[in-house]
């Protein structure tokens, strides 16, 4: 089982719709969960991160975390063509000893928002 | 405030050669992390430096090494290049050892022939 899995897509949604991006992870000891957006030919930029079970909202973006199901998702409301990009999920887990961490990325989901 | 800068932006090398990539963090940022991104493996963490000390390391062979200088600038070196080292190498900086607040640079695209 891959450590962090995402559907590669492409996920296509019409403008104004809700885009739902999903990510599952295998390490139950994972502590922090991140969503990055990466436009073609550009570097990743952090959208948001979440620590606790439940929802975290930031503007049009909502991250949802369910540690029992080892599942994290990102909802994008009122999707815009400018949201078309690859969305990377990343999971941070602390290694034994507590001083080091491991940061693992999924391979990303390509989102296309059609005007 | 200027962002993270990386030099060079593009590089072509041949197998067996070595390469050094440079990263200048955002002013005031003391932590620098390096990542490799390929279509096949995605984005993978290489290592992180803070105050000139390597604080964390990913699962890459010893051919990949790095260092950080007193001004927080960092370099990454890859020795004995292999075709599979062709990738986008990204550097990210943050104020402290915290991936929660890191900002990525534009990357160096390395092609190994």
């Amino acid at each position: 089982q891959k450590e962090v899995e995402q559907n590669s897509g492409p996920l296509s949604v019409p403008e104004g719709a809700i885009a739902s991006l999903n990510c599952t992870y295998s390490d139950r000891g994972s502590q922090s969960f991140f969503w990055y957006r990466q436009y073609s030919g550009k570097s990743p930029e952090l959208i948001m991160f979440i620590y606790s079970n439940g929802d975290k909202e930031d503007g049009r973006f909502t991250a949802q975390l369910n540690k029992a199901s080892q599942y994290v998702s990102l909802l994008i409301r009122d999707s815009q063509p400018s949201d078309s990009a690859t969305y990377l999920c990343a999971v941070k887990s602390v290694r034994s000893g507590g001083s080091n961490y491991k940061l693992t990325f999924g391979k990303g989901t390509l989102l296309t928002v059609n005007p | 405030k200027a962002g993270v800068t990386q030099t060079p932006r593009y590089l072509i090398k041949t197998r067996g050669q070595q390469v050094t990539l440079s990263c200048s963090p955002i002013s005031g940022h003391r932590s620098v992390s390096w990542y490799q991104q390929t279509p096949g493996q995605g984005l993978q963490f290489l290592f992180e430096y803070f105050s000139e000390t390597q604080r964390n390391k990913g699962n890459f062979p010893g051919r990949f090494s790095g260092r950080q200088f007193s001004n927080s600038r960092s370099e990454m070196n890859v020795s004995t290049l292999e075709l599979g080292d062709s990738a986008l190498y990204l550097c990210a900086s943050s104020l402290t050892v915290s991936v929660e607040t890191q900002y990525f640079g534009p990357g160096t695209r390395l092609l190994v022939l």
Side-chain angles (χ1 to χ4, degrees), chain A residues 32 34 36 38 41-46 49 51 88 92 95 99-107, chain B residues 33 35 37 40-43 45 48 55-59 88 90 97 99-102 104-106:
Chain A
S32 308
F34 305 82
Y36 288 86
Q38 186 172 25
K42 301 294 185 181
S43 55
E45 51 183 337
L46 181 67
F49 58 88
Y51 297 115
L88 302 170
K92 177 181 174 182
R95 289 174 170 161
S99 60
N100 290 331
Y101 65 86
K102 180 179 180 182
L103 184 64
T104 306
F105 286 80
K107 292 189 178 181
Chain B
S33 297
Y35 298 84
Q37 188 172 34
Q41 298 300 316
L43 192 59
F45 173 74
E48 177 181 27
R55 298 301 179 105
N56 207 21
K57 189 177 186 302
N59 295 323
L88 178 67
L90 292 159
V97 181
V99 294
E100 282 79 356
T101 56
Q102 66 181 353
F104 282 89

Side-chain angles (χ1 to χ4, degrees), chain A residues 48-110:
Chain A
M48 62 194 308
F49 58 88
I50 186 168
Y51 297 115
S52 306
N53 276 329
D55 295 358
K56 180 180 179 183
E57 186 175 319
D58 184 358
R60 296 186 297 112
F61 299 94
T62 298
Q64 299 176 316
L65 175 62
N66 184 325
K67 289 188 176 181
S69 300
Q70 295 174 248
Y71 175 93
V72 58
S73 65
L74 180 71
L75 300 179
I76 306 174
R77 290 182 300 279
D78 187 25
S79 295
Q80 301 297 308
S82 59
D83 294 326
S84 298
T86 296
Y87 289 79
L88 302 170
C89 169
V91 174
K92 177 181 174 182
S93 52
V94 177
R95 289 174 170 161
S96 59
S99 60
N100 290 331
Y101 65 86
K102 180 179 180 182
L103 184 64
T104 306
F105 286 80
K107 292 189 178 181
T109 298
L110 176 62

Side-chain angles (χ1 to χ4, degrees), chain B residues 29-83:
Chain B
H29 284 197
R30 297 172 61 193
S31 174
V32 173
S33 297
W34 287 91
Y35 298 84
Q36 180 197 66
Q37 188 172 34
T38 61
Q41 298 300 316
L43 192 59
Q44 295 181 282
F45 173 74
L46 279 156
F47 30 64
E48 177 181 27
Y49 286 86
F50 180 80
S51 293
E52 303 178 63
T53 302
Q54 188 181 90
R55 298 301 179 105
N56 207 21
K57 189 177 186 302
N59 295 323
F60 276 80
R63 297 186 298 108
F64 293 82
S65 63
R67 60 177 175 169
Q68 186 179 36
F69 302 96
S70 59
N71 61 358
S72 296
R73 190 178 70 84
S74 177
E75 288 182 346
M76 189 192 87
N77 184 274
V78 187
S79 63
T80 318
L81 284 166
E82 301 177 358
L83 295 180

